[in-house]
Amino acid sequence: MKIYNIYNHPIRGMEAIKVGFSIPAFIFGIFWMLANKLWRISVIWIGITMIAGYISGLIEKTPAHSDEDFLRTIGQIVLFIISCLMFVVPASGGNKWRENDLVRRGYKLVTTVNAETSDGAIASAANGISEMAKTGFITN
C-alpha cells in the first residue's frame, strides 16, 4: 500500500498525489515534469540542462594531457554530480512540487489515504467523505 494525499477542487474534482519518492520522475525527468504541467520547474530544468551542455562542450574542447588536466577532471566531476542530481532531485521532490502546484491552482488538501493506486485512493477518499457527510461530521 502507498500513501496518497487527496486534493479537491470545487470544479476540477479530486487529485491523488503519492507521498514520497517518484519513480516516474526519476526515470522520465523533464518529460514527467512537462506531463504534470510543472511549467516553471520545467523551464528551470531545461536551463540547467543547457548550462551543463555548455560546460560539457568547454570540457571537450580542452585538449587531453594539457596543463589544464586538473580543471578538466574537476569539470567532469561537476558534470557527473549535476547529472546525478538531475535524476534524484525530481524523484525525491517531484510529488511535493505537484502538491504545491495544485494548491496554487486552488485545490485543498482533504485527506490522506492508503491505497494501491491513485484511482483507488480517490475512490477511497470520495467514499470516506460521503460517509462523513451522511453522519453529519461534514456538510456538503
Side-chain angles (χ1 to χ4, degrees):
M1 288 268 194
K2 300 170 194 145
I3 301 171
Y4 289 89
N5 286 333
I6 308 299
Y7 288 83
N8 190 37
H9 189 277
I11 297 169
R12 298 182 186 124
M14 291 185 168
E15 292 277 339
I17 308 293
K18 186 173 87 66
V19 174
F21 193 84
S22 173
I23 292 173
F26 180 79
I27 295 170
F28 299 110
I30 186 70
F31 301 108
W32 177 87
M33 292 177 218
L34 292 169
N36 285 287
K37 300 177 183 159
L38 298 170
W39 308 124
R40 293 176 187 154
I41 295 171
S42 297
V43 169
I44 292 168
W45 232 246
I46 290 169
I48 292 170
T49 303
M50 291 173 67
I51 291 168
Y54 178 75
I55 293 170
S56 177
L58 290 177
I59 290 170
E60 291 302 316
K61 288 181 183 177
T62 305
H65 306 296
S66 69
D67 294 337
E68 299 171 352
D69 270 348
F70 177 73
L71 290 176
R72 181 183 174 103
T73 303
I74 294 296
Q76 289 171 333
I77 291 169
V78 167
L79 280 176
F80 176 75
I81 292 169
I82 290 171
S83 296
C84 291
L85 290 174
M86 295 291 284
F87 288 97
V88 173
V89 170
S92 61
N95 287 334
K96 197 62 165 163
W97 297 342
R98 288 184 62 206
E99 289 184 37
N100 292 339
D101 184 59
L102 289 176
V103 169
R104 186 185 58 77
R105 292 189 290 140
Y107 284 78
K108 303 274 188 237
L109 177 65
V110 290
T111 190
T112 300
V113 298
N114 290 320
E116 288 296 326
T117 65
S118 60
D119 289 339
I122 291 172
S124 176
N127 185 39
I129 290 170
S130 67
E131 288 298 316
M132 288 173 64
K134 286 179 192 175
T135 60
F137 284 108
I138 61 171
T139 57
N140 290 336

